[in-house]
C-alpha cells in the first residue's frame, strides 16, 4: 500500500470518527465498509463495532471488534470496546477478561479500571470491585462515579460508615449531584438516621419531572388551618407508606387533595379524611403543595418514636373472600417488581420454596404477573385484581401474607394483616437495618433477613417454622 493510499484511508477514518461523534451512524458505517472492501482494517471494524454497541446489537459488536483484535491485538481500545459489549450483554466474566487485557496493555487509563470494577460489582466480587475503584481514584481523584460505586459496594458489604464517607466525597467533588445526595440519604435511612436521611432524601425531586407551572407554594410546615393542601403522587409504594402522615393534617381544618394512580383511586377515595382524589397529572386549585415522600421531612418523623394507629387504611366492606374456611389462607408473592434495579436480589426462585406448604394451607398467588394459565404447582389458586381496593379487601380477609419486598408488604402492613416479609442481606432503605425481625413502620410485619448475600434457604427454613406456629394458633 502506497503512502498516498495510507493517507487517504487515514482521512476517511477521521471522517468516520467525526460522523460517529455526531451520531451520524449511516455515514460512518458507509465509509468503514468502503475501506474494508479494499482491505481489512482494524480501526474500520472497531468503528463498526462501536456503532453496533450504540444500537445495542451486542453480538454483532463483539464479532466486529474481535476482527479488529485479530488484525491488531496490541490496541487496548479494542479490548475496552469488547469489554463494554460483553458488559452490556451482562456477560460480566468475559467483560472482566477483556478489561484486564486492556489494562495489561495500558494500566494508566482510569476509566478502564472503573469499567472493570463495575463488572466485578455486578458479579458481587466486592473486594475486587473496591480495588478497581480505588485504582480508578488513584489515577483520577475526582472520578465521581468511582466514589459513587464505592459507596454502593460498601453498603452491600454492610460497611455503612465507609459508604456514607464515599457518598460525601461525591458531594464534595460535585455539590449539586442529586444521585449522590439521594444515595447518601437512603444509606442514612437504612441505618436509622432519619434526621439526615430525610434531608438528603429531598434530592430525589431533582431526578423526577414534576409540572411546576400551576403549583402554588411548597408546604414546609406553615399553618394549614382552613387551607387546601395538594399532595403530589410519587408511586404506589410511597403512597401506601407515607399516606398515614397526611391523616393528622386533616384535623387542622385542612382540605386534603391527593394525587394518585388510577389503580389506587378507589382505595384512597374511601378514606374519609381525604377530601378529594385526583389523577396523578391533575393540579386543582390549592394553597400549598407537598410531595407525599416529603411529609416525613416536614413533620420531622422518626418512626421509632411515633405512636401509630393500625390499620390506617379503611375499607367499606370487609367481606371474607378467602375460599377455604377450613384451612390457613395464605397470600403469597415471591417476585418483586421487574422494574426494580434490585429485582434479582429481592426475588426468590420457586424451587427453593416448593416444600414449605402443606395440605392444611390454601396458598393463593397475589402476583399480578401470574395468571391461572401459568400458575405454579405450589399454589392452590390465584387472585387477579383490577385495583388496590379490590386487592385490599381480599388481603384483609387472609390469615397470613408471605411476601418479598413488594407493594403487597406495604398494603398488608397498612391493613394490619399478619405478614412475613423476606428481605435480602442489605434491603431497601424502608426496612431499617438496626431492627432485626421487626419494623417501626408496620406492627403486623415480621421480617426474615438473609444472613449472607443470596442465602434464601435459611430464610425459607425460618418461614416454614413460622407457618407451623400459625397452624398451631
Amino acid at each position: 500500500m502506497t503512502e498516498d493510499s495510507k493517507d487517504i484511508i487515514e482521512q476517511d477514518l477521521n471522517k468516520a470518527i467525526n460522523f460517529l461523534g455526531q451520531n451520524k451512524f449511516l455515514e460512518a458505517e458507509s465509509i468503514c465498509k468502503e475501506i474494508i472492501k479494499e482491505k481489512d482494517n482494524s480501526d474500520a471494524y472497531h468503528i463498526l463495532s462501536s456503532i453496533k454497541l450504540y444500537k445495542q446489537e451486542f453480538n454483532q459488536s463483539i464479532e466486529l471488534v474481535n476482527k479488529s483484535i485479530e488484525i491488531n491485538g496490541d490496541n487496548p481500545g479494542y479490548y475496552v470496546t469488547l469489554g463494554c459489549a460483553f458488559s452490556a450483554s451482562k456477560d460480566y466474566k468475559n467483560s472482566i477478561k477483556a478489561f484486564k487485557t486492556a489494562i495489561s496493555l495500558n494500566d494508566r487509563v482510569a476509566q478502564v479500571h472503573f469499567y472493570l470494577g463495575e463488572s466485578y460489582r455486578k458479579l458481587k466480587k466486592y473486594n475486587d470491585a473496591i480495588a478497581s475503584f480505588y485504582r480508578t481514584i488513584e489515577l483520577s481523584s475526582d472520578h465521581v462515579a468511582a466514589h459513587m460505586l464505592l459507596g454502593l459496594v460498601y453498603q452491600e458489604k454492610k460497611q455503612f460508615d465507609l459508604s456514607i464517607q464515599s457518598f460525601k466525597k461525591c458531594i464534595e467533588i460535585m455539590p449539586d449531584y442529586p444521585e449522590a445526595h439521594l444515595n447518601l440519604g437512603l444509606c442514612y435511612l437504612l441505618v436509622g438516621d432519619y434526621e439526615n436521611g430525610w434531608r438528603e432524601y429531598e434530592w430525589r425531586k431533582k431526578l423526577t419531572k414534576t409540572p411546576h407551572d400551576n403549583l402554588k407554594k411548597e408546604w414546609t410546615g406553615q399553618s394549614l388551618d382552613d387551607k387546601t393542601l395538594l399532595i403530589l403522587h410519587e408511586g404506589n409504594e410511597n403512597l401506601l407508606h407515607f399516606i398515614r402522615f397526611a391523616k393528622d393534617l386533616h384535623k387542622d381544618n385542612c382540605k386534603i387533595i391527593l394525587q394518585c394512580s388510577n389503580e389506587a383511586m378507589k382505595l384512597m377515595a374511601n378514606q374519609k379524611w381525604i377530601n378529594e382524589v385526583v389523577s396523578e397529572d391533575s393540579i386543582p386549585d390549592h394553597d400549598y403543595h407537598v410531595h407525599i415522600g416529603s411529609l416525613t421531612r416536614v413533620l420531622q418523623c422518626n418512626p421509632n418514636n411515633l405512636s401509630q394507629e393500625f390499620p390506617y387504611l379503611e375499607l367499606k366492606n370487609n367481606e371474607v373472600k378467602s375460599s377455604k374456611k377450613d384451612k390457613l389462607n395464605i397470600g403469597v408473592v415471591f417476585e418483586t417488581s421487574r422494574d426494580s434495579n434490585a429485582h434479582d436480589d429481592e426475588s426468590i426462585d420457586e424451587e427453593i420454596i416448593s416444600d414449605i406448604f402443606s395440605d392444611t394451607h390454601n396458598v393463593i398467588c397475589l402476583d399480578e404477573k401470574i395468571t391461572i394459565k401459568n400458575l405454579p404447582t405450589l399454589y392452590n389458586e390465584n387472585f387477579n385484581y383490577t385495583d388496590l381496593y379490590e386487592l385490599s379487601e381480599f388481603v384483609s380477609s387472609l390469615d397470613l401474607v408471605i411476601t418479598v419486598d413488594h407493594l403487597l408488604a406495604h398494603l398488608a402492613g397498612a391493613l394490619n394483616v399478619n405478614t412475613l416479609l423476606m428481605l435480602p442481606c442489605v434491603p431497601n432503605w424502608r426496612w431499617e437495618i438496626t431492627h432485626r425481625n421487626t419494623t417501626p413502620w408496620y406492627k403486623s410485619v415480621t421480617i426474615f433477613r438473609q444472613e449472607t448475600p443470596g442465602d434464601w434457604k435459611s430464610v425459607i427454613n425460618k418461614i416454614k417454622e413460622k407457618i407451623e406456629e400459625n397452624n398451631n394458633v
Side-chain angles (χ1 to χ4, degrees):
M1 183 180 290
T2 66
E3 288 299 320
D4 287 343
S5 297
K6 288 181 180 178
D7 287 343
I8 291 170
I9 290 173
E10 191 67 29
Q11 290 171 14
D12 286 342
L13 285 170
N14 286 332
K15 287 180 184 177
I17 291 169
N18 285 331
F19 281 132
L20 183 65
Q22 299 171 49
N23 291 342
K24 294 181 177 180
F25 300 128
L26 287 176
E27 292 88 339
E29 191 172 18
S30 177
I31 291 172
C32 290
K33 285 181 176 178
E34 286 299 318
I35 292 172
I36 292 167
K37 275 184 183 179
E38 297 296 322
K39 184 180 179 181
D40 279 351
N41 183 286
S42 60
D43 288 332
Y45 280 123
H46 185 219
I47 293 170
L48 290 173
S49 172
S50 299
I51 292 170
K52 295 298 183 183
L53 180 58
Y54 184 89
K55 292 181 176 180
Q56 299 186 0
E57 298 172 8
F58 304 128
N59 289 337
Q60 292 179 54
S61 177
I62 291 166
E63 182 181 338
L64 286 164
V65 77
N66 273 326
K67 289 183 178 180
S68 298
I69 292 168
E70 287 173 12
I71 298 168
N72 178 9
D74 295 327
N75 187 321
Y78 299 163
Y79 292 100
V80 174
T81 299
L82 179 62
C84 289
F86 276 129
S87 179
S89 60
K90 299 185 179 181
D91 184 352
Y92 300 114
K93 289 183 179 180
N94 277 319
S95 72
I96 287 170
K97 290 179 184 177
F99 292 135
K100 289 176 79 172
T101 303
I103 289 169
S104 72
L105 295 169
N106 182 357
D107 71 346
R108 302 295 300 172
V109 182
Q111 193 64 20
V112 184
H113 289 279
F114 175 76
Y115 289 151
L116 176 61
E118 174 62 346
S119 290
Y120 278 131
R121 186 178 80 94
K122 292 292 187 180
L123 292 179
K124 302 187 186 305
K125 294 185 175 182
Y126 294 135
N127 291 336
D128 290 325
I130 289 170
S132 293
F133 293 139
Y134 272 118
R135 178 59 176 151
T136 304
I137 293 165
E138 183 182 335
L139 293 168
S140 178
S141 60
D142 60 351
H143 199 295
V144 175
H147 288 290
M148 174 75 84
L149 292 190
L150 260 179
L152 294 176
V153 169
Y154 278 131
Q155 188 166 292
E156 288 299 319
K157 286 172 65 67
K158 294 187 176 182
Q159 294 177 274
F160 300 111
D161 288 345
L162 291 175
S163 179
I164 289 169
Q165 180 180 311
S166 296
F167 294 138
K168 283 184 173 180
K169 185 63 179 179
C170 288
I171 296 167
E172 180 185 321
I173 298 167
M174 191 181 293
D176 293 327
Y177 188 18
E179 288 88 347
H181 282 281
L182 179 57
N183 279 315
L184 175 61
L186 299 183
C187 191
Y188 276 136
L189 292 172
L190 186 58
V191 299
D193 183 348
Y194 290 98
E195 181 178 355
N196 285 315
W198 295 137
R199 182 191 67 245
E200 297 296 329
Y201 186 58
E202 288 295 287
W203 282 81
R204 76 197 183 283
K205 294 185 287 190
K206 299 281 188 182
L207 300 173
T208 56
K209 294 180 180 179
T210 302
H212 295 288
D213 292 346
N214 298 319
L215 288 176
K216 301 287 180 67
K217 192 173 181 179
E218 185 173 12
W219 182 60
T220 56
Q222 303 92 326
S223 171
L224 292 174
D225 193 28
D226 293 323
K227 301 294 184 182
T228 298
L229 178 67
L230 173 63
I231 301 176
L232 302 181
H233 182 69
E234 290 189 275
N236 285 336
E237 284 197 6
N238 268 2
L239 174 66
L240 294 174
H241 189 179
F242 293 121
I243 193 60
R244 70 187 89 182
F245 299 110
K247 193 171 186 177
D248 285 340
L249 302 179
H250 181 71
K251 297 175 184 177
D252 297 327
N253 295 321
C254 173
K255 179 182 178 182
I256 302 290
I257 302 177
L258 176 69
Q259 283 185 349
C260 69
S261 66
N262 289 334
E263 190 180 26
M265 192 79 70
K266 183 178 178 181
L267 178 61
M268 292 299 118
N270 196 62
Q271 310 312 306
K272 296 175 183 177
W273 47 273
I274 298 176
N275 300 91
E276 185 178 352
V277 178
V278 298
S279 63
E280 55 193 275
D281 57 354
S282 178
I283 304 181
D285 190 37
H286 59 283
D287 297 299
Y288 296 104
H289 78 273
V290 65
H291 290 74
I292 193 164
S294 296
L295 288 171
T296 46
R297 162 76 167 153
V298 178
L299 298 171
Q300 300 179 346
C301 291
N302 182 332
N304 293 299
N305 302 330
L306 287 178
S307 176
Q308 302 184 64
E309 294 181 5
F310 295 94
Y312 58 79
L313 290 179
E314 300 173 5
L315 302 174
K316 281 185 181 178
N317 302 312
N318 195 15
E319 299 175 359
V320 175
K321 294 186 178 181
S322 303
S323 56
K324 305 281 180 69
K325 292 184 179 180
D326 57 335
K327 295 189 176 185
L328 193 73
N329 291 286
I330 307 174
V332 174
V333 169
F334 287 114
E335 183 182 7
T336 193
S337 169
R338 291 178 185 174
D339 295 331
S340 169
N341 292 330
H343 171 272
D344 293 346
D345 292 331
E346 294 177 344
S347 301
I348 301 179
D349 194 318
E350 289 169 7
E351 292 181 4
I352 302 176
I353 54 180
S354 58
D355 66 342
I356 67 172
F357 301 114
S358 70
D359 292 340
T360 63
H361 306 136
N362 181 36
V363 185
I364 307 156
C365 177
L366 298 179
D367 189 334
E368 68 275 15
K369 299 179 294 294
I370 297 177
T371 66
I372 195 67
K373 292 181 179 179
N374 63 345
L375 190 68
T377 55
L378 68 96
Y379 299 106
N380 300 109
E381 58 181 279
N382 75 310
F383 179 74
N384 292 127
Y385 51 92
T386 57
D387 61 26
L388 291 182
Y389 187 87
E390 191 175 349
L391 178 61
S392 297
E393 281 195 313
F394 189 83
V395 168
S396 66
S397 71
L398 294 172
D399 300 302
L400 181 66
V401 166
I402 302 175
T403 183
V404 292
D405 192 356
H406 182 274
L407 178 78
L408 178 62
H410 298 282
L411 185 62
L415 295 169
N416 206 34
V417 175
N418 190 14
T419 301
L420 309 183
L421 173 61
M422 300 171 288
L423 295 178
C425 193
V426 178
N428 179 274
W429 65 269
R430 300 174 197 274
W431 312 112
E432 186 183 328
I433 205 82
T434 59
H435 291 259
R436 181 68 197 141
N437 301 115
T438 60
T439 168
W441 294 113
Y442 305 108
K443 72 176 185 180
S444 66
V445 174
T446 304
I447 294 177
F448 297 83
R449 305 176 189 266
Q450 287 180 350
E451 297 292 338
T452 56
D455 177 25
W456 284 118
K457 289 186 178 179
S458 63
V459 172
I460 293 301
N461 287 336
K462 292 175 183 176
I463 289 287
K464 192 172 182 178
E465 293 174 6
K466 195 68 177 179
I467 294 172
E468 290 174 359
E469 287 179 19
N470 278 272
N471 278 340
N472 296 327
V473 173

